[in-house]
Amino acid sequence: MVDPLNRDETAGQRDRAAQRRDELASRRDRDADRRVLVLEGNDRESRSRDRAESKRDRERALVDGRSLARAERMTRDLAHQRMQLINAQSVGQFGSWEWDIATDRTEWSGELYRNRGVKPSGADMSFEDFVQGVHPDDRLTVRAKIQAAHDTGEPFSFEHRVVRPDDTVRIIHARGEVIIGDDGTPVKMCGTGQDITERREVERAKDEFISMVSHELRTPLTSIRGSLGLLESGALGPLPEKGQRMIEIAVQNTDRLVRLINDILDIERIDSGAIDMHQQPCDAAELIEHAIHGVEQLAADAQVTLTSDGGPAMLCALPDRVIQTLTNLISNAVKFSPVSGTVRVCCRRQGGQVLFQVTDEGKGIPADKLDSIFERFQQVDASDAREKGGTGLGLAICRKIVEHHGGRIWVESEPGAGSTFSFVLPAQVSGVVESDDTP
């Protein structure tokens, strides 16, 4: 017989077990729900990450595409610019070069090879390879100019001839500059070489024409000047006052035209090498005194004082040509000096050179004219030729004479502060001429 109490206890136990099972089932359901929620959250995060990565990939692809397009555009632009440079070099007949001083390796552009009449070999070229293509008579000059640029770090510009393999000779205008390293020493030189042969031929033809015309004019002008001189002096009888004045004007203008023709012929003779370049020992101070003596009357008429200061300095030169240079410079200084002004002429030994200087108290020269006034027919002011009676050739002749002596001429000036014209010529020591390109 079953005990009712035990039966109730057993039923209670079953109820509690069922309740526990329900709780466990409910817990499992909640855990399952949480796992589902976690999985769904993870899935959403994953999809979000995927979308973000996809967006980044698209943006990266877009940026890469733009970069590629930009790079391609830059490449096309560089190629176009390079072609423009090549075409410009071809039209202008100039090529570029670079010389690595440490490795003695030179690089030429295509046009420079064409100027030399050779084809690129692909082999490394040295400075000596460049020099060997220069005309034998110009090699010493080229070496000296390049060495001077190397020593001073200053840019250079000069002309020289080259001999092509077919023995034709071309004239090259070389320009270059020195690249200085961090330690202050030259590391490279770079520059251009332009074929100016045709230009020089045109200039030579023009000069020959001017020379021919000048020679043809000289004889009749000499006759006209002689006749006018007789009329002016009264040798053929007195003239009315107005007639006398007209004759004086005609004489002045004829003299000016004769000076112009003589200057043109001087330049032509110097350029053609027709003048005697047999140099002899000269005392610089004596040359100055001779030049001053020749312009004393001009200075007196202009009420300008001339002073000279020359120390012992010997040079080897053409005395007449040096005096001509000094006379031109002193005459210009007198013409452009104010009344009661002073023109100072001096010379002194300076290293391996003799320095000559002519200083005036005139109105000065603008900075943009300091180089051009040494060109033919160039004057600071167009009215100068009319007012002062100049031909515009005097300074050009001075430069020709100085450069033919192996020297250099230049001017230093400021508007309103006067001007100093200087030139240097090689000095003489114990019968031997010293040469030094740097003043």
Side-chain angles (χ1 to χ4, degrees):
M1 183 172 180
V2 178
D3 187 352
L5 292 176
N6 289 337
R7 187 170 59 246
D8 293 341
E9 182 178 350
T10 301
Q13 291 176 346
R14 285 197 299 271
D15 291 340
R16 285 193 297 276
Q19 184 180 1
R20 195 161 39 249
R21 285 195 298 272
D22 291 341
E23 290 176 353
L24 290 174
S26 177
R27 188 179 303 161
R28 283 196 299 271
D29 291 341
R30 287 195 301 272
D31 291 343
D33 291 340
R34 281 197 296 270
R35 285 195 295 272
V36 169
L37 291 174
V38 170
L39 290 174
E40 289 178 349
N42 290 341
D43 186 53
R44 284 195 300 272
E45 291 179 2
S46 178
R47 288 196 300 271
S48 177
R49 284 196 300 270
D50 290 342
R51 286 194 299 271
E53 290 179 0
S54 178
K55 182 180 179 181
R56 285 196 296 271
D57 290 342
R58 289 195 302 272
E59 291 176 346
R60 190 178 301 113
L62 182 61
V63 171
D64 291 344
R66 290 174 178 171
S67 299
L68 180 60
R70 189 182 300 112
E72 291 176 348
R73 187 168 58 252
M74 291 177 63
T75 301
R76 288 195 302 270
D77 290 344
L78 288 173
H80 180 65
Q81 291 173 7
R82 182 175 182 275
M83 185 57 63
Q84 285 183 316
L85 177 60
I86 292 174
N87 291 337
Q89 289 188 350
S90 178
V91 172
Q93 291 186 297
F94 71 90
S96 56
W97 55 267
E98 183 176 292
W99 175 34
D100 188 311
I101 299 174
T103 63
D104 192 25
R105 183 174 180 270
T106 63
E107 293 183 4
W108 295 1
S109 69
E111 190 61 28
L112 203 60
Y113 281 101
R114 284 189 286 275
N115 286 349
R116 290 294 190 101
V118 296
K119 295 182 178 180
S121 63
D124 288 348
M125 298 182 62
S126 67
F127 176 72
E128 284 303 316
D129 294 325
F130 157 75
V131 174
Q132 289 307 308
V134 175
H135 192 288
D137 293 344
D138 294 348
R139 288 174 186 170
L140 286 177
T141 299
V142 169
R143 291 181 188 277
K145 295 289 186 181
I146 297 296
Q147 185 64 50
H150 178 277
D151 294 343
T152 63
E154 295 294 326
F156 60 84
S157 175
F158 62 91
E159 295 178 11
H160 65 87
R161 293 166 294 173
V162 297
V163 182
R164 290 180 169 179
D166 59 1
D167 291 332
T168 58
V169 177
R170 307 294 292 180
I171 302 173
I172 304 297
H173 186 191
R175 296 178 183 271
E177 61 180 15
V178 184
I179 299 175
I180 306 298
D182 294 336
D183 60 353
T185 61
V187 294
K188 285 184 179 180
M189 287 190 185
C190 58
T192 60
Q194 183 177 19
D195 189 332
I196 59 171
T197 307
E198 283 77 15
R199 185 200 308 173
R200 287 290 174 263
E201 289 175 353
V202 171
E203 291 176 353
R204 183 164 54 251
K206 179 192 67 177
D207 292 343
E208 289 175 356
F209 172 76
I210 293 175
S211 175
M212 179 191 68
V213 172
S214 300
H215 278 291
E216 292 299 321
L217 288 174
R218 198 174 197 179
T219 300
L221 270 176
T222 301
S223 176
I224 292 171
R225 176 62 179 83
S227 299
L228 290 173
L230 290 174
L231 289 172
E232 183 185 32
S233 66
L236 302 180
L239 294 174
E241 182 178 348
K242 183 177 291 187
Q244 184 69 31
R245 178 57 185 156
M246 295 299 292
I247 289 294
E248 291 174 355
I249 293 174
V251 168
Q252 291 173 2
N253 283 282
T254 304
D255 287 342
R256 181 184 171 198
L257 189 54
V258 169
R259 287 196 302 272
L260 173 61
I261 290 174
N262 288 337
D263 287 346
I264 291 173
L265 294 177
D266 262 347
I267 287 184
E268 189 273 333
R269 282 194 295 266
I270 295 172
D271 283 341
S272 64
I275 64 172
D276 178 19
M277 293 303 291
H278 181 68
Q279 301 178 6
Q280 63 189 63
C282 309
D283 182 272
E286 290 182 3
L287 297 178
I288 288 177
E289 292 305 317
H290 281 293
I292 288 179
H293 180 71
V295 297
E296 281 179 338
Q297 188 58 51
L298 176 66
D301 294 341
Q303 300 180 44
V304 173
T305 302
L306 297 177
T307 66
S308 63
D309 179 17
M314 295 296 296
L315 65 153
C316 198
L318 294 171
D320 289 343
R321 292 295 172 178
V322 177
I323 292 173
Q324 180 182 2
T325 300
L326 288 167
T327 300
N328 278 342
L329 296 178
I330 298 171
S331 298
N332 280 348
V334 169
K335 289 177 184 178
F336 293 99
S337 289
V339 174
S340 301
T342 300
V343 172
R344 299 173 179 81
V345 188
C346 67
C347 65
R348 67 176 183 273
R349 179 67 181 270
Q350 192 176 67
Q353 298 177 318
V354 176
L355 171 66
F356 294 87
Q357 290 185 311
V358 178
T359 302
D360 63 54
E361 298 174 348
K363 60 183 181 181
I365 303 170
D368 60 343
K369 297 285 187 179
L370 294 180
D371 292 327
S372 64
I373 59 172
F374 290 100
E375 301 293 335
R376 302 181 187 187
F377 304 110
Q378 294 293 321
Q379 301 217 4
V380 175
D381 189 333
S383 63
D384 289 342
R386 297 188 298 271
E387 181 182 350
K388 307 297 183 180
T391 64
L393 289 172
L395 292 178
I397 292 173
C398 291
R399 185 173 69 174
K400 292 285 185 182
I401 292 173
V402 170
E403 290 179 350
H404 269 72
H405 279 82
R408 185 170 71 92
I409 186 169
W410 69 97
V411 60
E412 297 169 292
S413 179
E414 292 183 12
S419 306
T420 297
F421 284 82
S422 308
F423 66 94
V424 289
L425 299 177
Q428 184 191 41
V429 178
S430 303
V432 179
V433 177
E434 290 187 351
S435 180
D436 183 356
D437 289 336
T438 307

